[in-house]
Amino acid sequence: MSRDRYAVWAPHATRMELVFTDHEPGAVHDAADRWAVAAVAPMVPAGAGWWEPEAPVEERYASAGYGYRVDGEGPFPDPRSRSQPDTVHGPSRRVDADGFAWRDGDWSGRDLRGAVLYELHVGTFTDEGTLAAAAGMLEHLVSLGVTHVELLPVNSFAGGHNWGYDGVGWYAVDASYGGPGAYRRFVDDCHAAGLAVIQDVVYNHLGPSGNYLPRFGPYLTERSTGWGSGLNLDGEDSDEVRRYILDNARMWFEEYHVDGLRLDAVHALQDTRAVHVLEELAAETDALSAALGRQLVLVAESDLNDPRLITPRAAPGRDGAGGYGLTGQWSDDFHHAVHVALTGETDGYYADFGPLSALSKVLNHGFFHDGSYSSFRGRHHGRPLGDQVPAEALVVFAQNHDQVGNRATGDRLTATLDEGQLAIAAALLLAGPFTPMLFMGEEWAASTPWQFFTAHREPDLARAVTEGRRREFERMAWGEDVPDPQAVQTLTDSTLRWDEAATGRHARLLELHRTLIRVRAERPELTDPDRATTRATVNKERQWVRMDRGVTGDGPGVVVLLAALGSEPWPVPEDVGGYRLLAGHGPDGPLTGVPADGSVPSHGFVLLSRG
């Protein structure tokens, strides 16, 4: 249904007013000045809980800041605002979505099969922390060989900087990153460089500052997600709340030309309706993909180990697989198994992954917890993937923003592993059967941590975040060492230092990542969707891991990875003695051939090929 551009949903309001301010965007910071009223336009009901201006808005207010009074309270920003230059507490601004001259008319998108994802946070990717500066680094990503850039959330938040998961302006690109115009230019530049863009979106909760949605209607429920109130997906008036999510996804695809969405923590979406909101989102995305003639993907983060997310949907009116039909999902099990195998950490949820056999199970079957007992949860967890799920549907990683940033000091694997161990992590990731994802700077073993940072301006909230973060880690005796999320230094310390990528082990590991990604693109065995063509085995006493790719029987695979994780070198097995080296690395740097003694060095790997 076509609606007035100032239409707003407020189903229980008795009086609505559209308010305009004549201040230039970004020119004022005091709340009273931001909302100094220039004009007020009465609104009238337009059906189904929507309101529209009683009369056409005068053209002179077309570019003015605006908001709404709800039953005399406010003004509040537009829930669907495309721009919030005066923070999420200030007036909204209209954006001309049709005024941008796109150059990507021939772009058809990219699938996950054969993909290599690269996750980055705009604010810490470069010193400038903007989309324009990030676009200046695309040549690095192209030379690395990645295919998809995955941006952490960019929607508007309170304060000057944030991880992005405290966003409340779901429809607006934060002004600190450059706003909606800069975002369009970034996507256009990515497509020109052959890179697809996946946008991380958070539909399960809203941040603690600037959430005005409850002022307009029943967007939230009393059920907690662990981060705050959840969205009203299945109660009274939930049709329009679901539409709020579905239309937001459509906005990213249509107005910003993104190629996919990463859906944050979908296990926190509390929906008891017969058609889950994820299934509805997948169906609409597939229909939009066909209409646009462009590949669109949906990748969920979930800790449920439930293959239903990535199992095909049943056809309308017919029996079928009965899944939600998403394109892919993150798999923490891979990360946990690799992390424990290389670091030896077994605290918390790592406890289940102590035996090295956990790594071979993940490589062979996708999920470690597939109905098995989880000591961390104190119950059985997950279910098997099933043969209908292709290998690329699992997005895996040795590091990501969560697994680094949610450590007490935000330390990367770089802080504890030697060069050979970091190389093994890269080989397991990039020679494995699933869709690999790198976290920014991982490719050169960046020395910078990635810590939890916020910039809340409300003193009580800022204090609560700092104290809460420290309490979270007190049980591990790390409380005194946890960086203050509110300190600017925490943001600065987390910003990549690009100059180190050209020196020492950083440069050697960067070249290794380029080699492994190139080999991955060249060898079809490494991107085969059939999970049955992968066979992984381990020797737990000697800490050896073998992964055969392109397996067709009982013999060796066409490509074989041998990794010596422990203190003992590994004599190359006879059945691959005649294979040639595709890539190799040890604790002292790259290998140009299988070592003269015929052994894989301790803390090293070789990737071998039959032909």
Side-chain angles (χ1 to χ4, degrees):
M1 178 184 296
S2 177
R3 297 192 182 278
D4 184 275
R5 61 179 179 169
Y6 291 105
V8 65
W9 185 64
H12 303 309
T14 58
R15 179 165 58 95
M16 293 291 297
E17 295 171 302
L18 176 61
V19 177
F20 291 100
T21 176
D22 56 7
H23 283 291
E24 290 298 315
V28 293
H29 300 284
D30 179 79
D33 288 340
R34 280 199 302 263
W35 284 109
V37 176
V40 177
M43 304 186 77
V44 295
W50 286 81
W51 295 74
E52 295 180 351
E54 186 176 45
V57 172
E58 295 181 39
E59 188 60 32
R60 62 186 172 129
Y61 294 120
S63 60
Y66 72 98
Y68 303 93
R69 287 197 188 120
V70 184
D71 290 331
E73 296 185 0
F76 307 118
D78 184 351
R80 294 177 178 236
S81 169
R82 300 308 202 262
S83 178
Q84 291 293 132
D86 295 312
T87 81
V88 293
H89 299 289
S92 302
R93 301 276 170 173
R94 304 298 308 175
V95 173
D96 181 10
D98 298 325
F100 185 79
W102 290 95
R103 300 170 296 160
D104 64 352
D106 294 332
W107 178 257
S108 58
R110 301 192 73 152
D111 198 356
L112 286 185
R113 185 164 299 174
V116 178
L117 279 55
Y118 188 94
E119 185 188 35
L120 69 88
H121 176 264
V122 174
T124 51
F125 188 55
T126 64
D127 288 337
E128 299 86 350
T130 64
L131 286 156
M137 306 306 296
L138 295 183
E139 183 177 347
H140 167 80
L141 301 184
V142 172
S143 70
L144 181 61
V146 302
T147 60
H148 293 66
V149 179
E150 181 170 315
L151 298 179
L152 267 67
V154 298
N155 48 285
S156 288
F157 45 78
H161 53 265
N162 196 281
W163 269 24
Y165 297 91
D166 284 334
V168 292
W170 285 6
Y171 282 72
V173 176
D174 197 76
S176 67
Y177 297 151
Y183 192 95
R184 287 186 173 88
R185 289 188 291 275
F186 177 82
V187 174
D188 206 34
D189 288 343
C190 283
H191 289 172
L195 297 169
V197 178
I198 295 177
Q199 180 57 60
D200 193 341
V201 291
V202 184
Y203 293 145
N204 57 69
H205 77 285
L206 293 106
S209 178
N211 176 18
Y212 297 103
L213 289 182
R215 301 283 191 164
F216 289 88
Y219 281 90
L220 305 181
T221 71
E222 294 302 318
R223 294 174 294 185
S224 176
T225 64
W227 307 290
S229 297
L231 273 290
N232 172 24
L233 300 176
D234 53 6
E236 186 177 352
D237 292 318
S238 60
D239 286 352
E240 285 296 344
V241 177
R242 294 164 75 96
R243 195 70 254 164
Y244 187 70
I245 291 174
L246 299 170
D247 287 351
N248 181 261
R250 180 176 287 270
M251 178 201 74
W252 290 113
F253 292 135
E254 291 185 320
E255 297 182 22
Y256 291 106
H257 290 205
V258 303
D259 303 284
L261 300 177
R262 182 263 187 188
L263 309 171
D264 181 66
V266 300
H267 49 269
L269 294 171
Q270 301 172 45
D271 183 5
T272 61
R273 289 168 64 156
V275 179
H276 194 280
V277 67
L278 291 177
E279 182 180 351
E280 193 173 359
L281 175 59
E284 289 203 7
T285 299
D286 288 347
L288 184 60
S289 177
L292 296 175
R294 181 157 49 91
Q295 179 71 44
L296 304 176
V297 301
L298 295 173
V299 179
E301 178 201 18
S302 172
D303 71 356
L304 300 178
N305 281 24
D306 185 355
R308 175 171 44 176
L309 296 175
I310 47 180
T311 299
R313 294 186 307 280
R318 298 173 55 190
D319 293 334
Y324 292 164
L326 302 179
T327 320
Q329 75 168 80
W330 279 22
S331 175
D332 283 339
D333 283 8
F334 178 93
H335 167 271
H336 299 347
V338 171
H339 186 93
V340 172
L342 291 172
T343 69
E345 290 185 37
T346 54
D347 294 327
Y349 50 69
Y350 290 139
D352 292 337
F353 297 83
L356 190 59
S357 58
L359 180 57
S360 58
K361 181 177 180 181
V362 166
L363 291 171
N364 287 324
H365 302 291
F367 289 156
F368 174 72
H369 283 306
D370 53 6
S372 59
Y373 183 78
S374 167
S375 63
F376 173 70
R377 296 174 177 84
R379 60 173 174 80
H380 288 77
H381 182 64
R383 67 187 302 171
L385 273 180
D387 296 337
Q388 75 274 22
V389 177
E392 71 268 10
L394 291 189
V395 175
V396 298
F397 31 81
Q399 303 179 73
N400 67 24
H401 79 273
D402 266 333
Q403 301 300 339
V404 174
N406 282 326
R407 294 174 67 82
T409 59
D411 52 311
R412 297 169 179 260
L413 289 176
T414 314
T416 54
L417 301 185
D418 64 29
E419 183 172 335
Q421 292 171 308
L422 292 170
I424 291 172
L428 289 168
L429 177 69
L430 294 167
F434 312 117
T435 297
M437 185 181 77
L438 299 169
F439 180 54
M440 61 178 191
E442 178 183 351
E443 69 273 24
W444 78 74
S447 65
T448 49
W450 202 70
Q451 300 166 338
F452 179 69
F453 48 81
T454 55
H456 296 303
R457 290 171 177 158
E458 301 89 339
D460 289 345
L461 176 59
R463 190 179 311 110
V465 169
T466 297
E467 293 174 355
R469 186 71 174 174
R470 287 175 175 162
R471 281 196 304 271
E472 184 179 349
F473 293 103
E474 278 178 355
R475 62 186 178 86
M476 301 183 202
W478 291 347
E480 295 302 316
D481 298 326
V482 178
D484 181 359
Q486 286 287 122
V488 174
Q489 189 65 41
T490 305
L491 171 74
T492 303
D493 290 346
S494 300
T495 302
L496 289 178
R497 296 200 293 268
W498 284 85
D499 58 337
E500 69 181 8
T503 63
R505 75 167 182 172
H506 302 295
R508 293 192 293 271
L509 287 167
L510 175 57
E511 188 56 35
L512 171 66
H513 279 82
R514 286 176 175 149
T515 298
L516 289 172
I517 293 173
R518 174 182 52 77
V519 170
R520 180 178 180 82
E522 293 173 349
R523 301 300 307 229
E525 298 86 3
L526 299 184
T527 54
D528 192 330
D530 185 356
R531 303 198 321 273
T533 61
T534 296
R535 182 175 63 235
T537 56
V538 299
N539 184 315
K540 64 180 181 180
E541 288 79 18
R542 292 181 170 83
Q543 295 289 289
W544 295 342
V545 177
R546 172 171 174 163
M547 179 167 55
D548 289 64
R549 304 297 315 279
V551 173
T552 56
D554 295 331
V558 178
V559 176
V560 178
L561 172 70
L562 304 174
L565 279 61
S567 59
E568 294 187 39
W570 185 1
V572 174
E574 292 184 3
D575 63 347
V576 294
Y579 281 39
R580 67 182 180 90
L581 185 76
L582 295 174
H585 214 91
D588 300 318
L591 304 176
T592 57
V594 177
D597 64 359
S599 297
V600 182
S602 169
H603 288 197
F605 82 88
V606 293
L607 185 64
L608 306 173
S609 170
R610 183 186 300 162

